[in-house]
């Protein structure tokens, strides 16, 4: 099932290997979320162990939640405020110099529309990419398969259901471009 998941195919998450990997991520996330906030070196070490990559001078304020961790990469000088959720069933790529407001959700997981497949616990995922210097306001939700272009700003509370080009401001639900930068 892990190979199917990583290939973006339908898979069943109730799998022993995926269960172990999820438990690892939950354990490391719990450790990170309960650490002394002044222990910068210790917090960085946990994030480097948890994530696929954690860039130089980046900071993620706890709590942080993810499915597997290894599918999330964070570039250099990126800041994520309180309560970032990265459902990283597929890759979540966060570029350099990205600013993420509190309570942001990056949701790669999808579920079949077919009720029988859903009942049988099949699911899939599509990757999310935040290119360099993106700014997501508080409470933004980024849906599966979305890429947000370089320098783009997404207003607080927006739900991003489709790709956004570089150098724009987008707001609303669903998010729509209101200004070019």
């Amino acid at each position: 099932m892990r190979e199917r998941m990583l290939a973006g195919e339908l898979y069943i998450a109730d799998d022993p290997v995926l269960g172990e990997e999820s438990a690892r991520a939950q354990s490391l996330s719990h450790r990170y979320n309960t650490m002394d906030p002044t222990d910068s070196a210790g917090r960085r070490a946990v994030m480097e162990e948890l994530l696929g990559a954690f860039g130089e001078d980046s900071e993620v304020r706890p709590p942080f939640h993810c499915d597997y961790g290894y599918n999330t990469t964070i570039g250099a000088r990126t800041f994520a405020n309180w309560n970032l959720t990265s459902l990283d069933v597929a890759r979540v790529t966060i570029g350099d110099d990205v600013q993420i407001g509190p309570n942001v959700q990056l949701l790669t997981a999808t579920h079949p529309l077919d009720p029988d497949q859903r009942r049988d616990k099949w699911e899939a995922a599509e990757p999310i990419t935040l290119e360099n210097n993106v700014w997501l306001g508080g409470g933004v939700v980024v849906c599966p398969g979305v890429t947000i272009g370089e320098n783009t700003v997404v207003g607080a509370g927006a739900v991003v259901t489709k790709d956004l080009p570089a150098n724009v401001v987008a707001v609303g639900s669903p998010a729509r471009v209101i200004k070019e930068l």
Side-chain angles (χ1 to χ4, degrees):
M1 287 296 157
R2 182 180 195 273
E3 288 76 25
R4 292 178 66 105
M5 179 188 83
L6 294 175
E9 299 171 3
L10 284 172
Y11 74 99
I12 296 176
D14 186 14
D15 172 79
V17 172
L18 292 176
E20 288 175 16
E21 292 178 347
S22 177
R24 172 193 168 276
Q26 288 179 45
S27 178
L28 288 167
S29 295
H30 175 73
R31 185 182 327 158
Y32 181 78
N33 292 336
T34 58
M35 290 181 80
D36 181 334
T38 64
D39 183 5
S40 298
R43 290 176 50 198
R44 169 162 280 287
V46 172
M47 289 304 265
E48 287 175 347
E49 184 178 353
L50 173 61
L51 301 179
F54 189 57
E56 183 178 352
D57 295 325
S58 287
E59 178 183 357
V60 176
R61 288 192 172 168
F64 170 75
H65 304 282
C66 63
D67 279 321
Y68 298 104
Y70 57 76
N71 270 340
T72 296
T73 60
I74 297 177
R77 300 170 307 281
T78 287
F79 175 77
N81 215 322
W82 318 109
N83 205 32
L84 172 61
T85 298
S86 178
L87 294 189
D88 61 348
V89 176
R91 271 202 147 322
V92 174
T93 304
I94 301 171
D96 298 335
D97 302 301
V98 173
Q99 301 291 312
I100 299 174
N103 301 308
V104 166
Q105 300 175 57
L106 307 174
L107 310 175
T108 68
T110 64
H111 299 275
L113 296 177
D114 180 277
D116 293 328
Q117 287 182 318
R118 249 190 349 271
R119 189 176 302 108
D120 292 338
K121 308 303 181 208
W122 288 99
E123 57 186 81
E126 297 177 31
I128 290 173
T129 301
L130 307 179
E131 294 182 352
N132 295 337
N133 206 35
V134 164
W135 173 22
L136 302 181
V140 167
V141 176
V142 181
C143 293
V146 166
T147 294
I148 299 177
E150 187 170 11
N151 301 320
T152 286
V153 176
V154 180
V159 178
V160 186
T161 61
K162 296 181 180 173
D163 291 353
L164 294 174
N167 301 302
V168 298
V169 176
V171 299
S173 178
R176 61 182 171 70
V177 174
I178 60 165
K179 180 179 182 178
E180 291 188 18
L181 298 174

